[in-house]
Amino acid sequence: MRSAPTILHLDMDAFYASVEQASKPSLRGKAVIVGGLGPRGVVATASYEARVHGVHSAMPMSQARRLAPNAAYLVPRFALYRSISDQVMALLRALSPLVEPLSLDEAFVDLEAGDTAWDERSARLVGTKLRADIRAVTGLTGSVGLAASKMLAKIASEQAKPDGLVVIEPGTEREMLAPMSVRTLPGVGPATGDHLRRAGIHTVGEIAEAGEDELVRLLGKAHGHALYAMALARDDRPVVAERETKSVSVEDTYDVDIHDRVRVGLEVQRLADRCVRRLRGAGLSGRTIVLKVRRYDFSTLTRSETLRGPTDDPAVVREAAARLLDSVDTTGGVRLLGVGVSGLADYTQEDLFAQAAGGAGEEVAEEEESGPAPEPLPEVPAERRWSAGHDVRHTEYGHGWVQGSGLGRVTVRFETPGSAPGRVKTFRVDDPALEAADPLPLVEAPPDLPRTDAPAAGASASPLGGVTARAGPAPGTR
């Protein structure tokens, strides 16, 4: 572990919900919940106003609606979230060549590698400026933790939430960790936490007091050793700039179980095509095709087939996925399907006949036919779907967003990131004057900040709360 707090962990505050509040003036300061809105949808992010009601990420959307019936429920806009994430990551990469993104809204930064911080004072200055720059570029707030290791930096950013900065000074780690719940440590989930609680261990300090041998007895060798080291604030993991992609996959959860075997097959083919598009977009190919099926009773089956060489051919992936589906009983209904490709490489196998004819280890007779090419998926007529929260434009009223739709009607609130809360209008879903639109940028990019790959901005900053900094570990709201 280092002798200075030069590992930075950034966590954007309620990222998806904050983006929606920044782009929709009428939702600022109100409960906003982003996620799947169907009967089986789950919460992706809840604003802090919604969390007061007990709503949190990964909660079933049906439960969230019971807890916060008056909240705004919106469908995610991932393209917008990615563009804003690109802006934030560009600011981080201006600090150091060692940036390890964990998700769209979270990353580690090695400030020492960028020669931007070398002691507590310089690290604090970098963290303070970063938070101000993020607000200037995106209109959003992020919480920053600074410490001598990745584990401690992440714990510090959790304490800093929302919209704060916490520095854990070297030498104070064990004292700071001791009274914290065992659930604070990475890898301690509900099951491990309950197991420790039954053994009379509730805090990190009690983990250290129990000793390594006792933890190994309770949790097994690997987990026991790791947990004991973390309780002593030992963490030597480096910040890794590039994380190798091990697989590419897509999946869909269906609001109503699919019972028709033909429909299941068509869905698998559609998912295979989507997976290949993502694979090609990353410039990759793969050897192992994976099918995931979650049935009506929540049992999940995974089947895989390894080809003779890597491919990015959609016909090959479709055929392999179809063969895998043949081995799965879907009689009772299917609630989730997924198709993935692993064993990735940056080249493809040219012998497509061998790929399509069979998986690894199979001998294919020379006279064997490869079979007819798969028929294209049936054309689906384009439908005008108005997703809650998504952007629209009206020829008379301008830019707005969908508040809701149903019974042949769509309700739109007309406002932009820089406007006052706008007025609401209702239209027929097939109104020719109404069309889908691209999201508007949240703020104007200041000329003195690092350039990003995100679209140029054109609206005023969003009032999402003040910038504060706290000098030591203090409790914060996640």
Side-chain angles (χ1 to χ4, degrees), residues 166-422:
V166 167
V167 179
I168 300 176
E169 298 183 25
T172 68
E173 298 94 347
R174 290 189 61 179
E175 180 184 358
M176 180 271 301
L177 285 173
M180 293 184 173
S181 165
V182 295
R183 292 290 303 276
T184 303
L185 299 179
V188 180
T192 301
D194 288 345
H195 198 54
L196 292 170
R197 179 180 52 79
R198 288 194 295 270
I201 299 173
H202 301 86
T203 67
V204 176
E206 290 170 344
I207 290 178
E209 291 173 4
E212 192 167 15
D213 291 342
E214 176 65 7
L215 290 170
V216 168
R217 186 186 68 80
L218 288 172
L219 305 175
K221 187 174 182 179
H223 201 180
H225 285 313
L227 202 57
Y228 182 70
M230 287 189 288
L232 299 181
R234 296 173 184 164
D235 178 21
D236 295 324
R237 293 173 300 156
V239 175
V240 180
E242 296 297 332
R243 313 187 87 188
E244 181 181 358
T245 302
K246 296 183 178 179
S247 65
V248 173
S249 62
V250 297
E251 62 181 43
D252 277 344
T253 300
Y254 304 99
D255 293 340
V256 179
D257 290 347
I258 303 175
H259 293 83
D260 182 4
R261 183 75 177 189
V262 174
R263 167 84 189 284
V264 172
L266 289 174
E267 288 294 315
V268 167
Q269 291 188 47
R270 183 179 61 82
L271 289 166
D273 286 341
R274 275 176 55 195
C275 183
V276 168
R277 286 197 295 271
R278 184 172 293 184
L279 194 70
R280 287 181 167 181
L284 298 169
S285 61
R287 296 183 66 228
T288 301
I289 314 303
V290 181
L291 175 70
K292 178 180 177 182
V293 180
R294 180 166 296 150
R295 298 189 291 191
Y296 70 99
D297 59 357
F298 287 90
S299 61
T300 302
L301 303 176
T302 302
R303 299 288 185 268
S304 64
E305 175 180 311
T306 299
L307 306 173
R308 298 183 176 188
T311 185
D312 64 353
D313 186 277
V316 173
V317 177
R318 279 198 302 263
E319 290 173 12
R323 286 193 295 271
L324 295 170
L325 180 62
D326 288 340
S327 66
V328 177
D329 180 10
T330 62
T331 305
V334 170
R335 60 188 294 121
L336 177 146
L337 290 168
V339 174
V341 177
S342 60
L344 302 181
D346 56 3
Y347 65 95
T348 59
Q349 167 61 258
E350 298 299 333
D351 185 2
L352 296 181
F353 172 79
Q355 297 281 14
E362 296 180 344
E363 293 296 327
V364 182
E366 290 185 2
E367 66 273 12
E368 182 173 306
E369 299 267 334
S370 62
E375 295 183 3
L377 295 178
E379 291 288 335
V380 179
E383 297 181 2
R384 304 191 78 191
R385 297 185 60 187
W386 304 107
S387 299
H390 283 219
D391 297 83
V392 294
R393 178 169 292 280
H394 191 275
T395 54
E396 179 180 353
Y397 300 107
H399 192 95
W401 58 277
V402 176
Q403 280 200 325
S405 63
L407 302 176
R409 299 284 177 177
V410 55
T411 300
V412 178
R413 183 180 288 273
F414 291 97
E415 59 187 6
T416 64
S419 73

Side-chain angles (χ1 to χ4, degrees), residues 405-468:
S405 63
L407 302 176
R409 299 284 177 177
V410 55
T411 300
V412 178
R413 183 180 288 273
F414 291 97
E415 59 187 6
T416 64
S419 73
R423 55 184 172 177
V424 175
K425 298 283 185 180
T426 299
F427 309 91
R428 298 192 319 273
V429 294
D430 59 352
D431 190 323
L434 191 67
E435 62 181 5
D438 292 330
L440 296 177
L442 303 183
V443 299
E444 291 188 14
D448 58 335
L449 291 175
R451 292 177 57 87
T452 73
D453 294 328
S460 62
S462 144
L464 288 181
V467 178
T468 63

Side-chain angles (χ1 to χ4, degrees), residues 119-168:
D119 58 13
E120 187 271 340
R121 181 177 176 277
S122 59
R124 189 184 297 276
L125 289 173
V126 168
T128 300
K129 184 176 186 301
L130 172 65
R131 293 175 55 249
D133 288 348
I134 288 172
R135 183 182 174 88
V137 169
T138 68
L140 307 177
T141 63
S143 296
V144 169
L146 289 153
S149 70
K150 290 168 71 171
M151 179 190 78
L152 293 167
K154 183 170 175 62
I155 290 173
S157 70
E158 292 282 343
Q159 293 182 312
K161 282 186 166 293
D163 190 20
L165 182 149
V166 167
V167 179
I168 300 176

Side-chain angles (χ1 to χ4, degrees), residues 78-129:
F78 288 113
L80 176 60
Y81 306 152
R82 288 190 189 98
S83 71
I84 295 171
S85 174
D86 288 344
Q87 293 177 306
V88 174
M89 296 302 165
L91 292 173
L92 298 182
R93 293 187 178 99
L95 298 176
S96 172
L98 291 183
V99 176
E100 182 178 342
L102 304 180
S103 61
L104 291 179
D105 60 341
E106 185 180 3
F108 287 109
V109 184
D110 186 332
L111 299 179
E112 191 174 59
D115 199 27
T116 49
W118 46 90
D119 58 13
E120 187 271 340
R121 181 177 176 277
S122 59
R124 189 184 297 276
L125 289 173
V126 168
T128 300
K129 184 176 186 301

